[in-house]
Every structure is written in C-alpha cells, then in structure tokens.
Amino acid sequence: MASVTGLEGVIAAETELSLVDGQNGNLVYRGYEAKELALHKSFEETAYLLWYGMLPSQEALKEFKAQWVAGRTLPATLESVLDLLPNESDMMSILRTAISVLGTGDSTQSAWPPSEKAIIAYTALLPTIIAYKYRQSCGLSPIAPHTDLDHVANYLYMLTGEIPQPSHVKVLTAYFILAMEHGMNASTFAGRVVLSTQSDLASALCASIGAMKGPLHGGAPSEVLHMLDEIGSKDRAEEYLRNQLASGKRLMGFGHRIYKTNDPRAEALRQIMTDLSSEDPWFELAVHVEKTAVDLLAVYKPGRNLYVNVEFYAAAVMRAIELPPHLFTASFTASRMVGWTAHLLEQASCNRIFRPQSTYIGELPATLRHS
C-alpha cells in the first residue's frame, strides 16, 4: 500500500499571509516580495504588515513601537521561574516553559480568540527571555532592554551589553524578516491545530515551539558553520570545495526541499552581505564561497541546478555576529513568532477544528474479515 503519511501536498487552509512558490523561487508576504521587505523595511514594519495586512504609517509605527517596547520587560513571576530552571537546560525548552508560565497569568493572555495586545507582548518578550537565561548561564548579570533600540538591535544589546554594529543589525534584521513567515510549515500547522480547538494562545505557541525544537524543522545551520570555519579564508575556498565534490560529499547550504531555483531569502542576504562586505570579513567570505561553489557545482554536477539556500547565509550571519550556536534555533524562533501569531489570528477569524482522518492498516477480528 502506498504511504499517505506526512500530509505532503495536502491543502490544509487558505491564507492571505504568505505565498511560498518553490518552483519559481518567490516568497511573498501579503502582496510584497519578502526579499524587498528585508532590504528596505524594519522588523517592526514587517510584523505590522503580517498582523494587520498593511504597512504602517509613521504615526501608526510610532504607536506600535511604543507598545512593543512596553512588552519587553520580564514579569516578576516569570523571572522567578527562569531563575529556577537549570542553566544547562536547552533554550527551546526554556522558551516553551516561559510561554506556558505567561499563559497562566493575566486572563487576557489565555482568552479565545487571541488578542492583538497579547500577540505583541509575547513577540516583544521572547528576545528578553533568551538573553536573560543566556547571560545567567554564562555567569553574567542580565541586561535590561534598551528602550531606544529596535527589536533586533535590542536583542543583540541584551546578549552582549554593547550597542551592536550597524552592519550586524542590518543583516540580522534582514535574516529575521526572511525567517518570519514561511507558509504552512510544521510549527505553524501545530499551532493552528491547537488554536482550532479554541484553546488559548499560550498553548498554541507551546505547540509551535515544540515542533520548532525538533532537528528536522528548526535545526541550527551548524554544518554550514563548520564548513565556513574550515575554509576560513577566501584563498582556501576553491581547494576545500573541490576536494569535497571530488570525494562525493555534499556542499552544505546548497539545494532546498521546496525551492527548485534561487532561494529568494538567500538572494536578499547575499545582496546585503555584498554591500557590507568591506565591513565584516565573514560577509566577504560567504559571498566568495557561494560564487566559487556555484561555479564548481556546474562542473561536478552538471544539470543538477543546485542553488544556495537560506541556511548557508544564516550560518554566515550567525558567525559574523558571534551568536553562540546553541542560540540559533531560539533566535529563529524569536523571528518566526510573528508568522505563528499572524496565522493564529487568521485561524481564529474563520475557525474550523482540524480533524483529519487516518487509514487503518492493522488486523481485523475474524467476524469483520471479508471473504
């Protein structure tokens, strides 16, 4: 019997949020190309677009940012719980616990349908949770959110205690925007299924975090990072890549399950890194390695059309800003929270409980067997 597991190719919902067009290499957020948003808009502007369906006016953006800044401070109850969690706990488990704690507090956080106020609060608070527990695990004092910095810059500031370089903020902002939303992926589907039962926002987000925690979904681009570290400099790139291909090994960060042509997210990050290559050697190295790899793949694997994917440039971004590898998936989550919550708002607006069927392939009692 042919397998029907995995739901691959099954349409589970209609959405106005994003178009993931793998055949043509397009990613669209509510009518805008995601790569253009990454190049020209802020994280907050793009979040506003996904949540409200339009880009904000300057006045609306100012008010929106004020709500965002107000949501960054850790509640005392959550701070106490975080202090009790072992420092060696993985960050995704910490986030799952933190969201669950938040869901047991203010009744507005657990109301159905979810409120826009709660969605902003959860999204604004996630970087604070990550930075608080990260610094605690390093034996360092937590750093309070910086009220004058935007979402991404403030995240880097809370991790390090230093105002981040503008080039690092720009490229991480672009990555966060490009990672913000990606259709009906596993974690988004998990959250929508839970919310469809009219469960609360925190429960749905815990389901999404649980799915993201799995290495088949939210796994860090560690293999790409290892490759870039081994190459180390531009003069070593061709020899390293040629040796990999000659020995039949894969080049990490090339090829994608969905995108059969250029990954639009990688295109945007490449453009930004090219523009900023003089400001960070890792940006320059990543662009050079990609170009060299594409040339060699055309020789060693003709006709395969293997293109760079977003994981390649994500690794370069994380390496450049010196983000510890164990924070990669949590940082990805801090961005994807926008997409999840946008889907949850959409689910609530036209809710129908998800109730798929399964095919029984086990044994039947003798009385039910057909001759």
Side-chain angles (χ1 to χ4, degrees):
M1 180 180 291
S3 173
V4 293
T5 58
L7 300 182
E8 190 165 346
V10 174
I11 304 300
E14 293 182 338
T15 182
E16 296 181 350
L17 298 174
S18 68
L19 167 68
V20 183
D21 179 3
Q23 289 300 123
N24 298 301
N26 296 316
L27 177 60
V28 175
Y29 293 171
R30 286 195 182 270
Y32 293 84
E33 288 190 74
K35 61 185 178 184
E36 292 301 314
L37 294 169
L39 291 169
H40 303 297
K41 299 298 180 182
S42 69
F43 185 90
E44 286 85 348
E45 286 174 301
T46 310
Y48 191 100
L49 170 67
L50 282 173
W51 285 339
Y52 299 110
M54 67 192 80
L55 288 169
S57 65
Q58 288 303 307
E59 183 178 347
L61 183 61
K62 183 178 179 181
E63 182 180 339
F64 183 61
K65 284 185 174 181
Q67 289 179 271
W68 201 294
V69 170
R72 289 174 176 170
T73 303
L74 282 178
T77 302
L78 178 55
E79 190 172 316
S80 298
V81 171
L82 291 176
D83 289 343
L84 293 172
L85 296 177
N87 287 335
E88 60 272 18
S89 301
D90 72 271
M91 192 58 71
M92 293 301 288
S93 295
I94 288 169
L95 292 183
R96 184 187 60 211
T97 301
I99 294 298
S100 187
V101 170
L102 290 171
T104 62
D106 186 347
S107 60
T108 61
Q109 303 282 17
S110 58
W112 200 98
S115 70
E116 293 170 357
K117 179 182 178 181
I119 280 170
I120 294 173
Y122 278 118
T123 307
L125 192 56
L126 217 66
T128 308
I129 296 167
I130 297 168
Y132 182 93
K133 199 61 188 178
Y134 165 69
R135 289 186 64 85
Q136 193 175 68
S137 70
C138 296
L140 301 170
S141 299
I143 294 172
H146 196 305
T147 57
D148 295 330
L149 295 177
D150 285 348
H151 184 75
V152 176
N154 176 62
Y155 178 44
L156 291 174
Y157 169 75
M158 290 190 296
L159 289 171
T160 66
E162 300 176 359
I163 301 296
Q165 297 179 34
S167 61
H168 288 176
V169 173
K170 183 173 180 61
V171 75
L172 187 61
T173 297
Y175 171 65
F176 268 32
I177 288 172
L178 294 163
M180 190 180 281
E181 160 61 8
H182 207 242
M184 192 66 79
N185 55 81
S187 55
T188 297
F189 182 57
R192 287 189 73 142
V193 168
V194 171
L195 198 82
S196 78
T197 69
Q198 294 195 2
S199 189
D200 58 284
L201 178 61
S203 296
L205 291 175
C206 283
S208 293
I209 289 170
M212 181 69 85
K213 186 175 184 285
L216 293 183
H217 183 24
S222 53
E223 292 177 322
V224 180
L225 188 66
H226 178 68
M227 181 180 76
L228 291 175
D229 277 334
E230 283 200 329
I231 294 172
S233 60
K234 291 196 301 181
D235 60 294
R236 286 175 42 82
E238 182 172 349
E239 179 184 6
Y240 177 93
L241 296 170
R242 194 179 289 277
N243 287 340
Q244 290 289 105
L245 291 169
S247 60
K249 296 179 180 177
R250 288 181 57 209
L251 296 187
M252 295 299 105
F254 290 81
H256 194 276
R257 182 177 179 181
I258 294 176
Y259 293 106
K260 306 308 178 186
T261 181
N262 288 308
D263 184 334
R265 302 166 299 173
E267 286 184 335
L269 290 175
R270 180 203 301 121
Q271 181 173 333
I272 291 173
M273 287 191 179
T274 300
D275 294 343
L276 298 173
S277 60
S278 62
E279 299 185 37
D280 194 293
W282 280 99
F283 296 167
E284 187 178 17
L285 175 64
V287 172
H288 177 79
V289 168
E290 186 210 346
K291 183 181 185 306
T292 305
V294 168
D295 292 343
L296 290 174
L297 283 166
V299 175
Y300 283 88
K301 298 182 182 294
R304 289 286 302 278
N305 296 325
L306 293 172
Y307 300 92
V308 71
N309 60 45
V310 73
E311 295 303 321
F312 177 86
Y313 278 110
V317 170
M318 301 308 183
R319 183 64 180 80
I321 66 176
E322 299 183 347
L323 191 77
H326 66 278
L327 296 186
F328 285 5
T329 306
S331 299
F332 180 14
T333 300
S335 167
R336 184 56 64 85
M337 181 69 86
V338 174
W340 289 340
T341 50
H343 273 274
L344 297 178
L345 286 176
E346 187 175 65
Q347 181 65 38
S349 70
C350 53
N351 190 55
R352 183 178 177 86
I353 189 171
F354 284 95
R355 181 60 175 87
Q357 299 293 318
S358 59
T359 299
Y360 178 70
I361 59 171
E363 293 292 328
L364 288 173
T367 54
L368 297 180
R369 294 175 192 157
H370 299 292
S371 56

